Amino acid sequence: MGMLAATAASALLASPQESLVRRRRLSGAWTLRLRPAASLGVASLRVHNFVPKCYITNIEADVSTVNKEETFDDHPSLPSVCSIPVVNLRGDVLDSSPFPLHDRASCPSDFEELPVLSEGEQHTLASTPAHPAGLYALYASYLFGNLVEQLWNFAWPAALAILHSNLLPVAIVGFFTKLSVFVGAPIVGKLMDHFPRIPMYTALNAVQVATQLISAATVIYALRNLSHGSTTAVVLRPWFIALVAAGAIERLAGLALGVSMERDWVVLLAGTNRPVALAQANAVLNRLDLVCETVGASVFGLLLSRYHPVTCLKIACGLMICSFPVLVMLGQLINRVSCHALDSSRTATDESICTDLLDVRRIVQNSLSAIKHGWNEYKQQTVLPASAATVFLNFNVALAPGAIMTALLMHRGISPSIVGAFSGLCSIMGLVATFISSSLVKRVGILKAGAAGLIFQASLLSIALTVYWAGSISQRTPLLIFLASIALSRLGHMSYDVVGTQIVQTGVPASKANLIGGMEVSIASLAELVMLAMAIIANDVSHFGFLAILSVSSVAGAAWMFCRWLTNPTDEQRELFMFDPLYQVQATGAVV
C-alpha cells in the first residue's frame, strides 16, 4: 500500500506544466500547492483502482530533483502517450499524522496543501513519541511486573541457601533455567509472532505467576518438612524436581514478556522512525530494570532480617497473586490509550502453525525446528553484527560485578565494605549510562553511539587486565584503579545495551521481532552456559587471569565486529539507517 500511495502521489503531482507545483513558505514550514489537473487540460489523466479518499504518510517531497520523463510500465491505467515529469518521493521520513489529499468526494480534482517539514521540525518530531500516553502506561506495567519478578529472583536462591549450605542446588536450578531459555526461547518467540499481542501478554503473565506460586510452595514445603541431609538427598526429592521444572518455565515466560515489551511494544508506542524518542524510551526501561533489581533484593533482604523465611515467602506469594490482575489491567490500558496500536497485525494467525508448535508429543522436534528456523532468520538480518556484539558481551563474566569477581576480591582479603561499595558503584554507573546513551544518540546518531560504548568498555577493561597482570591489586592504589576501571566500563556496557537494542529494533521487521529477540536471548544464554563451564573447569582463583583474558577478548571482538560493520555498509544497511548522521555525512562527501 505504501508503494501504491507513493506511485499515485507521483502521478498526481506530475504535469507537463512546470507551474503545476509551486513551493512557498507558510508559518516556517514548506508546503506544496497542487493545482487541479483538470484546469490545465489534462483531465484525461486518471488513476484507476484508487480509493476516492486517500491518505499518505511518511512521504517527503523533494522538488529539487525532477526527472525529465519516466514511463510507468507497471501501471497500465496511465496512457502510454503521457510524458510526465516525476517528483521523487522518499518514504522513510519521520512519521507524522496522516493528511488528506482532498476531503471532498464531490470534487475529486481538488487537492489540499502537502506539508514538507523543515529540519527543525523533523528533529522535534524525532523526539516526540507516537503514543506518549501508551508509553507511560507501558512504564507502569514494566515497573510493577519487573519489581515482582526481581523480588522472586532474589527470594528463591536466598531460601535455598537457608535450606542447604551447599551451592549445588542453586547451581542446578540456575543451569536448567539457562538451558530452558536456550531451547525454548526460539519456539516461544515464533508463537508470539503468530498470536495477538494482548492475549499472549495475558497468557504469559498467567503462566509466570502460576509457576512462581508453584516454586514458592515447593520451597515452603521444604523449609517446613526437610531435615538437614546430604546434597544428593535434596536434589533427588520430588519437591526439588518440581522446583526445577517450575523455575525453568517461569524464567522462560519472564524473558518472553521482556522480549515482547522491549523489542516490540516499545517500538510501536515510541515510533519506528522517531530515533530520539525510541532511545529515550529504551533508556527509561533500562533504568526501571536497574531500580527493580536493586529494590527487589533490598525489600526481600529486609523481610528476611525481620521475619521467618516461610513468612517472607508467603508475603511474596501475596504480591504475585495481586500482580496478575493489575498487569492484565495495565496491558489493556496500554492498548486503549494508544488508539489500539497493539491490535495491529504482524502476521496472519496461522492456526495450523500454532497447533503444531503446542503439540506436546512433538516438543523435541518442534524445539529443534524452531531453533533451526530462528537461526536461519537471525543470520539473515541486516543488523546481525549489532546483535552478535550483544551476545559477545555476555562472555564477560570475570571483569564484571558478579559471583566470580566477589570470590576474587574476598580471596585477596579485600574488605567486604570495599566489595559492597564496588557493587554499588557499578549499579550507579549502569544507571548513569541510561542517561548518557539517549544524549549520545541525539548528538552523534545511534550508530556512532554504539561504537563509542563498545570501544569505551574494551579500553577500560584492557586497563583493568593490565593492572591485574602486574600482580599488584593487593596494594591500595592498584586495587582502586582495577576496580574503578571495571566500574567505569559499565558506562560503555549499559550504553551499548540501550543503543544495541534500538539498532535491532530498527532493523528487524515487526513480524519477526519476537522470533529474532528470542533467538538472541537463546544464543546469549548459550554464551553464559559456555562461560559457566569455563568457570567450573578453571575453578581455582589462581586461574582468574585466564577468565579475564577471555572476557577482554570477547568485548574487544564485539567492538571490532561492530566497527567493521559500520565502515563496510551494504546498500540495505544505508537505506535502513539513511537518517543517521554517519551515513548522511558520507553521502554528502560522496556528492561533493
Side-chain angles (χ1 to χ4, degrees):
M1 183 60 189
M3 291 297 297
L4 177 59
T7 306
S10 300
L12 294 171
L13 289 172
S15 168
Q17 306 293 331
E18 292 183 1
S19 60
L20 177 64
V21 178
R22 289 191 295 129
R23 194 173 184 174
R24 63 192 183 114
R25 188 88 171 178
L26 286 178
S27 302
W30 289 102
T31 61
L32 296 176
R33 168 66 73 180
L34 307 182
R35 293 181 179 176
S39 64
L40 296 173
V42 289
S44 60
L45 178 60
R46 302 181 184 276
V47 180
H48 297 290
N49 301 323
F50 197 74
V51 294
K53 186 174 184 178
C54 64
Y55 294 83
I56 301 176
T57 62
N58 302 340
I59 291 182
E60 177 182 355
D62 184 1
V63 298
S64 63
T65 305
V66 180
N67 296 336
K68 293 294 183 181
E69 290 186 359
E70 185 170 329
T71 303
F72 289 87
D73 296 332
D74 296 334
H75 301 278
S77 59
L78 296 175
S80 59
V81 297
C82 290
S83 179
I84 308 170
V86 178
V87 178
N88 290 337
L89 300 178
R90 293 185 296 170
D92 291 323
V93 299
L94 304 171
D95 53 347
S96 57
S97 58
F99 56 89
L101 288 178
H102 63 84
D103 288 323
R104 290 163 289 184
S106 60
C107 303
S109 62
D110 291 338
F111 300 99
E112 299 295 332
E113 294 180 351
L114 186 144
V116 179
L117 298 179
S118 66
E119 184 177 357
E121 290 170 331
Q122 290 193 21
H123 284 307
T124 301
L125 188 61
S127 304
T128 306
H131 304 284
L135 268 183
Y136 288 126
L138 176 69
Y139 297 154
S141 174
Y142 190 84
L143 174 64
F144 191 76
N146 208 17
L147 182 60
V148 176
E149 181 178 326
Q150 293 294 345
L151 186 146
W152 175 244
N153 287 343
F154 182 82
W156 72 260
L160 283 184
I162 294 172
L163 186 66
H164 200 282
S165 58
N166 196 292
L167 294 178
L168 184 59
V170 176
I172 291 175
V173 175
F175 176 82
F176 278 99
T177 55
K178 298 290 185 186
L179 185 62
S180 70
V181 171
F182 169 65
V183 175
I187 192 170
V188 172
K190 189 174 182 180
L191 270 174
M192 292 168 66
D193 282 331
H194 286 85
F195 270 103
R197 291 181 176 90
I198 297 300
M200 193 67 181
Y201 169 80
T202 303
L204 286 173
N205 274 297
V207 170
Q208 186 177 29
V209 171
T211 50
Q212 286 173 346
L213 292 174
I214 293 173
S215 301
T218 59
V219 177
I220 290 174
Y221 170 82
L223 288 171
R224 285 179 170 176
N225 300 284
L226 184 66
S227 58
H228 292 283
S230 64
T231 304
T232 305
V234 171
V235 299
L236 295 179
R237 295 290 182 90
W239 68 266
F240 185 78
I241 296 174
L243 174 63
V244 170
I249 297 173
E250 186 274 334
R251 190 82 298 271
L252 186 58
L255 284 174
L257 282 169
V259 168
S260 178
M261 300 184 80
E262 296 171 8
R263 297 297 177 89
D264 185 19
W265 290 28
V266 70
V267 179
L268 286 174
L269 299 176
T272 53
N273 294 331
R274 307 190 183 199
V276 178
L278 184 55
Q280 292 171 345
N282 287 328
V284 171
L285 291 180
N286 275 269
R287 289 171 208 153
L288 293 177
D289 187 40
L290 290 170
V291 170
C292 290
E293 185 177 350
T294 303
V295 173
S298 301
V299 168
F300 196 81
L302 182 62
L303 290 174
L304 278 178
S305 65
R306 296 189 175 186
Y307 304 103
H308 189 273
V310 173
T311 305
C312 296
L313 289 173
K314 288 181 178 179
I315 295 174
C317 288
L319 289 175
M320 297 170 195
I321 295 173
C322 294
S323 69
F324 178 67
V326 174
L327 291 173
V328 172
M329 179 189 67
L330 287 173
Q332 297 291 341
L333 180 63
I334 294 170
N335 196 33
R336 189 177 304 115
V337 299
S338 61
C339 303
H340 297 274
L342 300 182
D343 289 337
S344 59
S345 177
R346 293 164 294 188
T347 57
T349 302
D350 191 333
E351 294 183 1
S352 62
I353 292 178
C354 298
T355 302
D356 290 341
L357 290 174
L358 293 173
D359 190 351
V360 179
R361 296 170 297 179
R362 302 172 56 192
I363 188 169
V364 176
Q365 179 182 351
N366 288 338
S367 298
L368 294 176
S369 176
I371 292 174
K372 181 179 179 180
H373 174 68
W375 171 250
N376 289 334
E377 291 286 350
Y378 180 74
K379 68 181 182 181
Q380 292 174 5
Q381 298 301 311
T382 305
V383 293
L384 174 62
S387 179
T390 302
V391 174
F392 268 56
L393 295 182
N394 285 275
F395 283 97
N396 177 24
V397 298
L399 298 178
I404 294 178
M405 178 58 65
T406 301
L408 170 72
L409 297 177
M410 298 300 292
H411 178 77
R412 293 297 181 104
I414 307 302
S415 171
S417 61
I418 295 179
V419 178
F422 166 72
S423 299
L425 181 60
C426 289
S427 298
I428 293 173
M429 291 297 103
L431 188 62
V432 171
T434 61
F435 292 94
I436 294 177
S437 59
S438 57
S439 177
L440 274 176
V441 170
K442 190 172 183 179
R443 289 177 178 272
V444 301
I446 186 174
L447 299 179
K448 287 184 179 179
L454 289 173
I455 293 173
F456 186 78
Q457 183 183 6
S459 301
L460 285 168
L461 290 184
S462 299
I463 294 174
L465 180 63
T466 303
V467 173
Y468 176 81
W469 277 107
S472 57
I473 65 169
S474 297
Q475 302 175 12
R476 184 175 182 83
T477 300
L479 173 65
L480 293 178
I481 296 175
F482 176 74
L483 296 179
S485 299
I486 296 175
L488 288 174
S489 73
R490 305 303 291 176
L491 286 173
H493 177 84
M494 289 304 299
S495 293
Y496 184 77
D497 187 51
V498 175
V499 173
T501 297
Q502 184 175 348
I503 292 174
V504 176
Q505 289 169 338
T506 304
V508 175
S511 60
K512 300 177 182 179
N514 292 299
L515 175 64
I516 301 303
M519 197 65 207
E520 181 182 304
V521 170
S522 176
I523 298 174
S525 296
L526 178 62
E528 292 177 357
L529 285 173
V530 170
M531 290 305 292
L532 180 62
M534 290 287 186
I536 292 173
I537 295 173
N539 54 17
D540 193 273
V541 178
S542 60
H543 297 147
F544 178 84
F546 169 70
L547 296 176
I549 291 176
L550 289 179
S551 296
V552 174
S553 300
S554 65
V555 176
W560 174 83
M561 181 192 311
F562 186 82
C563 292
R564 182 176 175 82
W565 179 61
L566 295 188
T567 55
N568 297 279
T570 62
D571 292 338
E572 185 178 1
Q573 182 179 339
R574 288 181 181 276
E575 182 179 357
L576 189 62
F577 298 99
M578 63 186 304
F579 291 101
D580 191 272
L582 175 64
Y583 294 145
Q584 286 182 341
V585 171
Q586 291 180 357
T588 303
V591 171
V592 174

